[in-house]
Amino acid sequence: MTPPRDFEKNILMSLDFGNRILNHEIKFKKQIDFPTIPKSELMKIFKELKINIRGGTGGHYSFFREYSNHAFECHFHITKNTVFTYINLYNNGVLDREANLGHYSYMLNFIPYNVELAKEVSNTRGINSREEMKEYLNGLIDLFNLFVDEYIKEIEAGNIP
């Protein structure tokens, strides 16, 4: 496993990103076997969240934020109501592979978090309704935006990776 670059890792740690993810996920505890939400319904949820989503092929959905010559992609891979959320960074239209962020749970390998909370989340997490999926996605988007806002502040302060 290759860790994120120090620039991005420092932003994640300053935001307490690991615990923020877990505190969001602990709200969603599997209680029933809820049928898989179809693509058409997921697209409606993104529209309700006012997210201009691209894709939808094979359970992949993305949206972008841009700042100067930087683009920030929030990429979701949704399969059987399980959501994997990735952050990808682009400079001048080229994927910045050195940032090495990956999906939210991958980043937990490199930043501090509450281990006991993580165990509880891994044993109980699940989506029980369409409204829960909407709330869950909204929280994941908020975490993405929090990261991007902080990244932009660093760029504006003259700190560029």
Side-chain angles (χ1 to χ4, degrees):
M1 278 192 266
T2 306
R5 180 173 46 205
D6 285 344
F7 184 84
E8 288 78 11
K9 184 178 174 182
N10 290 337
I11 292 171
L12 292 169
M13 290 189 325
S14 74
L15 295 171
D16 193 24
F17 204 80
N19 286 318
R20 286 178 187 261
I21 293 166
L22 295 172
N23 284 321
H24 175 63
E25 297 215 354
I26 196 67
K27 299 174 193 173
F28 302 92
K29 296 184 178 188
K30 183 107 173 136
Q31 297 171 354
I32 61 169
D33 283 331
F34 186 72
T36 298
I37 299 171
K39 174 186 173 181
S40 60
E41 203 57 37
L42 289 169
M43 295 301 281
K44 287 178 187 176
I45 290 171
F46 285 119
K47 187 174 183 176
E48 290 168 16
L49 293 172
K50 297 181 175 42
I51 298 298
N52 185 19
I53 214 73
R54 296 180 188 178
T57 305
H60 295 272
Y61 308 85
S62 294
F63 74 94
F64 291 82
R65 282 187 54 193
E66 295 182 6
Y67 176 80
S68 183
N69 62 336
H70 302 276
F72 307 87
E73 177 187 23
C74 184
H75 180 91
F76 300 102
H77 180 212
I78 305 173
T79 179
K80 298 181 182 177
N81 295 342
T82 300
V83 181
F84 298 96
T85 309
Y86 300 77
I87 298 176
N88 294 310
L89 307 177
Y90 295 82
N91 293 317
N92 297 313
V94 177
L95 178 63
D96 185 350
R97 295 191 184 279
E98 292 180 21
N100 198 38
L101 288 171
H103 59 82
Y104 285 8
S105 57
Y106 172 78
M107 291 185 275
L108 290 178
N109 290 298
F110 309 104
I111 58 176
Y113 63 90
N114 179 322
V115 175
E116 291 305 313
L117 182 58
K119 287 178 187 174
E120 185 177 348
V121 165
S122 69
N123 291 328
T124 63
R125 180 181 47 188
I127 300 297
N128 299 295
S129 68
R130 179 196 187 278
E131 282 307 308
E132 275 193 13
M133 178 62 85
K134 182 178 175 182
E135 182 183 347
Y136 185 66
L137 289 171
N138 192 50
L140 297 173
I141 292 165
D142 287 347
L143 288 168
F144 168 77
N145 283 324
L146 183 68
F147 174 81
V148 172
D149 291 345
E150 196 62 32
Y151 200 100
I152 291 170
K153 285 180 192 174
E154 289 294 322
I155 293 170
E156 289 175 340
N159 302 321
I160 300 172

